[in-house]
Amino acid sequence: MQALFVTIADLVEAIELERGPFDVKCLAAKDPEDLQWALILSAEWFKTYSGDLTAYLVEHTLQQLDDASLSQMLAIIPYQPGRGGDLLDTLKRVQKQADRQRYGSGTEQHFEMIETPHPLARLVVPLARWHEQAPMVSAA
């Protein structure tokens, strides 16, 4: 399953390079017993995107997957900032916590499944990678 997570993260990062950053970029599964992932994205640039946003995101993510990976995906769900309610709030918290835990750990290619109490996102995989180096500690 890590291969799916890495592939989706790579595709999402490519969109960020083209369009701008995402505030939320997570995979979420409603039922831990039957893992079907929804790619949930939120970005400020969604507000000014002039075309069919969902079609653009599907073309640049789901349509790039092989059949085995695609069979694990349920949907792609774009939210404009401020419009996702408690689901986006939950995903932001999980994403922020994952960033803190990963800080300097060198695990940018490993993604964790995190359990949440949210009924629409019982399992969450934050797709943010840590690209900066941990601060140097001097031995003074």
Side-chain angles (χ1 to χ4, degrees):
M1 195 153 305
Q2 281 296 313
L4 172 67
F5 302 156
V6 170
T7 299
I8 295 287
D10 289 345
L11 294 168
V12 167
E13 284 181 0
I15 295 170
E16 285 182 306
L17 289 173
E18 181 180 324
R19 295 286 176 181
F22 290 103
D23 301 321
V24 172
K25 49 184 176 180
C26 295
L27 290 169
K30 193 172 165 178
D31 182 0
E33 300 299 319
D34 180 24
L35 289 179
Q36 291 288 299
W37 297 102
L39 176 57
I40 300 175
L41 301 168
S42 179
E44 283 295 324
W45 58 266
F46 286 3
K47 294 177 183 177
T48 58
Y49 188 78
S50 61
D52 183 340
L53 178 63
T54 302
Y56 171 82
L57 294 172
V58 167
E59 178 183 340
H60 286 82
T61 56
L62 300 183
Q63 288 182 356
Q64 304 302 313
L65 300 177
D66 61 28
D67 290 343
S69 295
L70 189 57
S71 71
Q72 298 176 60
M73 298 299 299
L74 180 63
I76 185 164
I77 304 169
Y79 285 104
Q80 286 193 13
R83 298 238 173 132
D86 66 332
L87 175 60
L88 268 192
D89 292 342
T90 297
L91 297 177
K92 283 180 186 178
R93 280 193 305 275
V94 169
Q95 191 170 274
K96 201 175 281 188
Q97 180 64 30
D99 284 346
R100 282 195 292 267
Q101 289 175 350
R102 229 185 337 244
Y103 182 73
S105 68
T107 59
E108 71 177 50
Q109 289 295 322
H110 182 77
F111 297 94
E112 298 289 329
M113 287 187 275
I114 299 167
E115 293 182 9
T116 79
H118 198 285
L120 297 176
R122 302 295 296 173
L123 284 178
V124 175
V125 178
L127 297 174
R129 290 183 172 134
W130 186 262
H131 290 292
E132 298 177 25
Q133 294 291 336
M136 298 288 288
V137 177
S138 64

